[in-house]
Amino acid sequence: MRERTIKYSEAFKLQVIKELKRGKFSSLTEARERYGIGGGSTIHTWLKKYGRKDILPIKVRVEMPDEQDVIKKLNKRIRELEKAVADSKVKEILSQAHFEVLCEQMGIEDIEAQKKKIAEQLSQEE
C-alpha cells in the first residue's frame, strides 16, 4: 500500500498564517481542523519557517517552590553520578592496565586465564 503525502502550496500556507494573524482562529488546532491539515505540528512548522513566531502559542509552566528545589537536587545528583561513573571507568582502565603490567612482569602470558583463576580464588574465600 502506498503512503499518501499531501503537499501544501506556499500560497496556501501563507493564507493560513494570515488568517491566524488576523485572529480568524482561536488556536492552531482550530485552523488545522478547519482546513483539514494533517499533523499536529504542521502549522507550527510553517510559522517557524516564515518567521512568525509571534503567532505561536505561549507556553507557561507553573511550579510549586518545592518542585523547583526537587528539580535542582535531581539535576545536581545526575551531575554527581555522571562524574562518579566517569571516575569509576578511569579507575577500571587503570586497574586493567596495572594488572596487565604485573602479569607481564611475572611472565604470565594468558591474562584471561589468570583473571579466571583469581576470580575462582576470590569466590572460594567468600
Side-chain angles (χ1 to χ4, degrees):
M1 184 164 90
R2 295 173 65 194
E3 187 175 319
R4 187 174 88 162
T5 303
I6 299 174
K7 300 267 185 182
Y8 300 99
S9 71
E10 298 299 311
F12 177 78
K13 295 174 188 178
L14 292 170
Q15 179 64 34
V16 172
I17 291 171
K18 184 194 292 184
E19 290 177 2
L20 281 164
K21 180 66 177 169
R22 286 186 185 156
K24 182 174 179 179
F25 304 108
S26 62
S27 68
L28 301 183
T29 302
E30 184 181 341
R32 186 175 59 79
E33 289 173 354
R34 165 68 173 81
Y35 286 108
I37 298 168
S41 62
T42 302
I43 295 176
H44 190 272
T45 303
W46 296 348
L47 292 170
K48 283 183 173 180
K49 176 181 176 182
Y50 293 106
R52 297 309 312 252
K53 293 181 181 179
D54 58 308
I55 302 174
L56 289 172
I58 297 171
K59 294 179 184 176
V60 178
R61 180 178 168 102
V62 179
E63 296 175 341
M64 298 294 291
D66 61 326
E67 286 178 300
Q68 294 172 1
D69 292 340
V70 168
I71 290 170
K72 286 179 184 176
K73 287 178 184 176
L74 290 172
N75 284 332
K76 181 181 177 188
R77 184 68 178 142
I78 288 169
R79 287 190 302 276
E80 290 170 352
L81 291 171
E82 286 172 342
K83 183 182 181 316
V85 168
D87 290 347
S88 177
K89 188 66 178 170
V90 168
K91 287 178 184 176
E92 178 187 347
I93 291 168
L94 289 173
S95 294
Q96 177 68 26
H98 186 251
F99 182 76
E100 289 173 6
V101 168
L102 286 174
C103 287
E104 184 180 310
Q105 289 175 350
M106 295 174 68
I108 300 169
E109 292 181 16
D110 192 350
I111 295 173
E112 293 302 316
Q114 186 65 24
K115 284 182 190 178
K116 288 178 184 176
K117 182 178 176 182
I118 292 171
E120 287 175 14
Q121 290 173 347
L122 290 173
S123 67
Q124 289 174 359
E125 290 177 8
E126 294 177 352

